[in-house]
């Protein structure tokens, strides 16, 4: 009976893993900036589970203003994002970027979302940005001041409502669990008590 239990569970997890793997075919589209003032347009639309990654490293000093325009494809309903930048202390020699702000605008230049500062850890400042986002064209604007070399990473991941495959997986695992519970219950009902 134990071998049947493990075989059934193994089949469910292998099948479920295949569904999850098929649903998670995401791509990362990267932009690499080498100047404080730069613009880029992402040619391919970002789809569900895709990530936009912006990587900046420059020895320039002064005002940061980077503008990244991208298009969101059908089916996307929201996004989550993170940013990290080096804020070495004024006495250090490492990169120092201060006053960072990240804003997301739609095509009519309406502010959709701004980042929220999350704190500093190990010389890196962190912020998060998230919200609702549907198909269309958007502009991500990063501003700040490079006091020495500047290092900034931003990532946005597009999300969709829970796919039907996950619901099917959970329902399938529930049925397997119910069947196993009934089978175990029948096996123990006819067993003699042990002393």
């Amino acid at each position: 009976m134990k071998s049947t239990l493990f075989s059934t569970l193994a089949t469910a997890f292998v099948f479920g893993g295949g569904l999850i793997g098929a649903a998670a075919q995401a791509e990362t589209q990267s932009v690499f900036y080498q100047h404080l003032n730069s613009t880029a347009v992402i040619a391919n639309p970002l789809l569900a589970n895709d990530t936009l990654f912006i990587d900046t490293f420059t020895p320039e000093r002064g005002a940061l203003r980077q503008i990244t325009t991208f298009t969101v494809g059908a089916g996307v309903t929201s996004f989550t994002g993170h940013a990290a930048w080096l804020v070495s202390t004024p006495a250090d020699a490492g990169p120092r970027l201060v006053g960072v702000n990240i804003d997301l605008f739609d095509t009519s230049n309406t502010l959709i979302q701004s980042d929220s500062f999350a704190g500093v850890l190990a010389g890196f400042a962190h912020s998060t940005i998230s919200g609702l986002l549907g198909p269309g064209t958007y502009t991500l604007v990063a501003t700040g001041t490079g006091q020495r070399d500047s290092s900034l990473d931003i990532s946005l991941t597009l999300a969709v409502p829970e796919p039907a495959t996950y619901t099917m997986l959970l329902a399938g695992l529930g049925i397997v669990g119910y069947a196993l519970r009934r089978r175990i219950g029948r096996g123990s009902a006819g067993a003699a008590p042990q002393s």
Side-chain angles (χ1 to χ4, degrees):
M1 182 159 135
K2 283 186 179 179
S3 65
T4 304
L5 170 67
F6 290 123
S7 174
T8 305
L9 286 175
T11 302
F13 284 117
V14 168
F15 176 68
L19 288 176
I20 291 170
Q25 295 178 0
E27 291 187 18
T28 298
Q29 297 196 35
S30 301
V31 176
F32 299 97
Y33 287 129
Q34 297 177 343
H35 299 284
L36 288 174
N37 290 285
S38 298
T39 60
V41 176
I42 305 299
N44 297 326
L46 294 165
L47 304 175
N49 301 316
D50 284 355
T51 298
L52 170 62
F53 178 70
I54 300 169
D55 181 31
T56 301
F57 185 81
T58 179
E60 296 175 345
R61 296 175 185 195
L64 167 76
R65 183 162 177 84
Q66 295 175 339
I67 302 170
T68 308
T69 302
F70 62 96
T71 302
V72 174
V76 174
T77 59
S78 63
F79 75 100
T80 59
H82 305 278
W85 59 96
L86 276 166
V87 290
S88 303
T89 63
D92 291 339
R96 182 167 172 79
L97 182 62
V98 297
V100 171
N101 187 57
I102 300 164
D103 294 320
L104 183 65
F105 298 92
D106 65 11
T107 53
S108 64
N109 209 29
T110 301
L111 180 65
I112 301 297
Q113 199 63 256
S114 289
D115 67 323
S116 297
F117 184 69
V120 176
L121 180 64
F124 282 90
H126 300 270
S127 70
T128 60
I129 184 170
S130 62
L132 299 177
L133 189 72
T137 301
Y138 298 91
T139 302
L140 186 73
V141 179
T143 57
T145 303
Q147 294 183 344
R148 291 192 296 267
D149 294 352
S150 296
S151 176
L152 169 66
D153 291 329
I154 304 170
S155 69
L156 295 181
T157 301
L158 304 181
V160 295
E162 183 178 303
T165 53
Y166 295 116
T167 304
M168 287 177 13
L169 171 63
L170 291 175
L173 289 174
I175 291 169
V176 168
Y178 176 75
L180 291 173
R181 183 174 175 201
R182 288 196 55 181
R183 183 177 295 161
I184 291 169
R186 280 194 310 238
S188 63
Q194 296 187 359
S195 47

